[in-house]
């Protein structure tokens, strides 16, 4: 007996009924990011494993525990992308973009892969939108990116959004902070988990985002990164805050936030939303500046800043709401007798060519079952086609909202449907 095949755990099918919400969210991102001058890129879903080891960092949970890594038939170690910034940077370098333009703004959307423990709205194939701006070291660029995320979340109808902000310093001031942090962690070593013992040696910053509650408690009382910022880093951070205030974007400074990736320098940020559908406060997007990443991957010394938002949980929020997404048919063509089936089929094709959304049951069947289907489809109008309509060329459009009948000629059907749809919308507008 054959076993029923199912989708891989943590990976979902997205079907009509739900896909309309995805299209809405992605469409909104495209439109909004376009307003900011960001162009879309699409990179492969699979990259050299080394790309993520060298950028995201070997000691991060993402690379150390969660990547889907495999050898291809040529013996190369490849990984499904766990995030979008490293592939974008790889593409930026590979296509010598800096030689073509000094300031580059890109966005992307698509699936990412991490072998994570399953929670509400967290999947192993999950979707992100993100953006990267290369070539500007100015605080205005950091704030432009944050403004874009804030506008995106607002446009999706999220009300209670908190922006958490921090600075991780740069190569001038971070070593002193690192040293102090290691000294502090060593003094509390018996309270840290086994993973953190190792992290302390390899990458002490990673102790700050350990999920172990004991480690979090220790980290929470450790040295404050902001007290170690050098003058240029401090000036940068102050200007970021000034500009956020000028745009009336509310934020809180959170010196414990480090983000789970190695490549950040200076500004890091997270947008946190409170919503019953998400459980407690939950991060819906975040990012930061990564001025050294492009160079460390063998590219030019070019500053950059970016963000990514998880789409799965944003879609979950919209699903909870009452708003309807997606378009219903303009017209359903029902057939009164089998002899009219071919004419109806041809008519449906002609109207679709003229731009209407037309539903038509290719199986034919009883008029009653077709009318049922028309009701269910949410079509605005239904037209019943029988012998009389075929010979006279005249028919009646049934407005589904109130059952009223509108006389029309079959030759002018598209125009009639458009005209009566427009008056219906206008009337509905007057009524409200
Ligand atoms: Zn730990
Ligand atoms: Zn600094």
């Amino acid at each position: 007996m054959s076993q029923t095949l199912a989708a891989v755990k943590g990976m979902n099918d997205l079907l009509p009924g739900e896909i309309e919400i995805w299209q809405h969210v992605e469409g909104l991102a495209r439109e909004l990011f376009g307003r900011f001058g960001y162009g879309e890129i699409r990179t492969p879903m699979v990259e050299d494993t080394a790309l993520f080891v060298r950028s995201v960092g070997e000691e991060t949970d993402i690379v150390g525990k969660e990547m889907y890594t495999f050898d291809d038939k040529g013996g190369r170690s490849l990984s499904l992308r766990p995030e979008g910034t490293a592939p974008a940077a790889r593409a930026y370098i590979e296509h010598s973009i800096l030689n073509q333009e000094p300031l580059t703004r890109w966005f992307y959307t698509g699936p990412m892969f991490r072998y994570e423990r399953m929670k509400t709205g967290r999947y192993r194939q999950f979707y992100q939108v993100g953006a990267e701006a290369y070539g500007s070291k100015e605080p205005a660029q950091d704030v432009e990116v944050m403004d874009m995320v804030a506008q995106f979340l607002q446009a999706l109808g999220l009300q209670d959004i908190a922006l958490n902000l921090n600075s991780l310093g740069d190569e001038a001031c971070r070593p002193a902070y690192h040293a102090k942090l290691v000294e502090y962690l060593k003094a509390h070593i018996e309270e840290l988990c086994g993973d953190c013992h190792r992290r302390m040696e390899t990458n002490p910053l990673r102790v700050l985002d350990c999920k172990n509650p004991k480690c979090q408690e220790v980290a929470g009382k450790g040295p404050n990164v902001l007290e170690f910022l050098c003058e240029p880093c401090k000036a940068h951070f102050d200007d970021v805050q000034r500009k956020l205030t000028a745009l009336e974007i509310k934020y809180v400074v959170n010196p414990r936030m480090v983000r789970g990736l190695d490549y950040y320098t200076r500004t890091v940020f997270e947008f946190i939303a409170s919503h019953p559908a998400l459980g407690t406060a939950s991060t819906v997007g975040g990012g930061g500046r990564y001025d050294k990443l492009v160079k460390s991957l063998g590219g030019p010394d070019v500053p950059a800043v970016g963000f990514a938002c998880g789409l799965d949980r944003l879609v979950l929020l919209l699903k909870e709401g009452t708003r309807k997404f997606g378009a219903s048919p303009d017209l359903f063509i029902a057939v009164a007798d089998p002899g009219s089936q071919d004419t109806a089929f041809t008519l449906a094709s002609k109207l679709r060519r003229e731009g209407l959304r037309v539903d038509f049951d290719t199986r034919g069947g009883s008029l009653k079952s077709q009318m049922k289907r028309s009701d269910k489809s949410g079509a605005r109008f239904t037209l019943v086609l029988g012998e009389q309509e075929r010979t006279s060329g005249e028919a009646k459009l049934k407005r589904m909202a109130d059952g009223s009948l509108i006389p029309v000629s079959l030759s002018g059907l598209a125009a009639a449907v458009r005209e009566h749809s427009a008056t219906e919308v206008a009337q509905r507008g007057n009524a409200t």
Side-chain angles (χ1 to χ4, degrees):
M1 228 170 64
S2 70
Q3 211 186 334
T4 312
L5 293 170
V8 175
K9 195 177 169 200
M11 303 193 181
N12 300 316
D13 300 312
L14 304 173
L15 308 178
E18 185 187 348
I19 202 80
E20 292 80 4
I21 306 179
W22 286 88
Q23 290 168 340
H24 169 76
V25 174
E26 287 161 1
L28 207 92
R30 277 200 180 88
E31 198 280 320
L32 181 66
F33 301 166
R35 264 190 254 165
F36 280 79
Y38 287 66
E40 182 169 355
I41 58 158
R42 295 189 192 184
T43 62
M45 274 173 231
V46 179
E47 298 272 357
D48 239 316
T49 300
L51 173 65
F52 301 111
V53 173
R54 283 171 58 187
S55 56
V56 178
E58 201 148 21
E59 274 305 314
T60 58
D61 279 355
I62 295 175
V63 169
K65 298 177 179 173
E66 298 170 353
M67 254 192 336
Y68 283 88
T69 298
F70 58 95
D71 287 344
D72 74 358
K73 295 197 191 301
R76 303 169 194 88
S77 178
L78 304 180
S79 292
L80 296 183
R81 62 181 184 194
E83 58 100 58
T85 295
R90 197 261 314 132
Y92 179 85
I93 298 165
E94 191 167 334
H95 301 282
S96 309
I97 302 298
L98 184 61
N99 297 338
Q100 299 161 42
E101 52 182 13
L103 181 60
T104 299
R105 293 176 168 103
W106 282 351
F107 81 90
Y108 59 83
T109 171
M112 309 288 162
F113 304 84
R114 291 181 200 172
Y115 194 83
E116 276 197 278
R117 240 181 316 160
M118 312 269 289
K119 284 190 279 188
T120 313
R122 278 204 188 274
Y123 306 108
R124 290 176 178 170
Q125 175 173 332
F126 59 102
Y127 293 80
Q128 286 189 333
V129 291
E132 320 288 349
Y134 304 95
S136 171
K137 61 177 174 35
E138 299 304 321
Q141 193 60 58
D142 308 34
V143 177
E144 178 188 276
V145 168
M146 285 184 260
D147 184 25
M148 201 159 81
V149 187
Q151 290 195 33
F152 176 57
L153 296 175
Q154 262 160 16
L156 287 171
L158 259 72
Q159 308 282 324
D160 282 324
I161 319 161
L163 168 58
N164 274 0
L165 189 67
N166 194 17
S167 174
L168 299 179
D170 59 4
E171 74 277 16
C173 53
R174 208 190 295 182
Y177 167 68
H178 262 222
K180 197 82 186 167
L181 181 65
V182 172
E183 188 188 311
Y184 167 81
L185 293 173
K186 277 197 172 135
H188 293 82
I189 190 155
E190 70 284 357
E191 297 160 60
L192 299 175
C193 75
D195 278 348
C196 283
H197 285 187
R198 201 190 63 245
R199 287 177 183 133
M200 225 173 65
E201 302 299 329
T202 52
N203 193 340
L205 218 55
R206 293 279 72 82
V207 175
L208 272 63
D209 46 35
C210 178
K211 287 169 184 97
N212 186 312
K214 244 352 241 273
C215 299
Q216 282 181 359
E217 201 189 312
V218 172
K221 293 178 193 147
N224 180 343
V225 63
L226 295 175
E227 287 166 12
F228 292 82
L229 294 187
C230 62
E231 271 315 310
C233 282
K234 195 175 175 309
H236 186 98
F237 194 49
D238 288 346
D239 199 23
V240 164
Q241 294 180 65
R242 246 194 316 278
K243 287 184 161 62
L244 282 170
T245 305
L247 296 187
E248 296 177 9
I249 299 173
K250 291 202 190 74
Y251 66 91
V252 287
V253 173
N254 176 0
R256 309 290 164 211
M257 190 214 1
V258 293
R259 309 270 307 146
L261 306 155
D262 275 358
Y263 48 62
Y264 289 118
T265 46
R266 293 193 169 166
T267 314
V268 286
F269 61 88
E270 278 182 356
F271 282 87
I272 294 162
S274 304
H275 190 285
L278 298 177
T280 47
S282 134
T283 304
V284 288
R289 181 164 275 289
Y290 51 93
D291 291 343
K292 298 291 152 211
L293 177 65
V294 177
K295 193 175 179 203
S296 79
L297 291 175
D301 191 2
V302 62
V305 53
F307 84 91
C309 274
L311 292 184
D312 297 86
R313 278 176 295 163
L314 295 175
V315 167
L316 202 69
L317 288 181
L318 294 182
K319 242 171 151 173
E320 297 286 313
T322 51
R323 185 168 163 191
K324 261 190 71 77
F325 297 91
S328 305
D330 300 306
L331 177 69
F332 187 94
I333 301 178
V335 180
D337 58 87
S340 301
Q341 184 76 6
D342 281 350
T343 310
F345 180 66
T346 310
L347 181 63
S349 169
K350 175 174 169 276
L351 293 172
R352 288 167 182 153
R353 270 173 237 207
E354 290 171 1
L356 288 194
R357 301 173 66 95
V358 181
D359 194 2
F360 165 71
D361 195 332
T362 52
R363 301 166 306 169
S366 73
L367 189 55
K368 194 177 157 205
S369 70
Q370 293 179 65
M371 292 312 278
K372 232 176 167 171
R373 185 181 166 86
S374 173
D375 257 341
K376 206 175 157 216
S377 75
R380 191 171 271 144
F381 297 99
T382 301
L383 181 108
V384 178
L385 194 79
E387 199 185 343
Q388 196 202 321
E389 286 79 10
R390 272 193 289 142
T391 46
S392 68
E394 302 292 319
K396 291 205 168 63
L397 260 188
K398 182 180 177 188
R399 192 201 306 272
M400 299 306 279
D402 58 7
S404 62
L405 296 170
I406 304 158
V408 287
S409 75
L410 291 181
S411 56
L413 201 49
V417 167
R418 283 211 182 86
E419 183 195 329
H420 291 286
S421 298
T423 50
E424 188 190 53
V425 170
Q427 278 167 358
R428 221 187 295 139
N430 290 340
T432 51

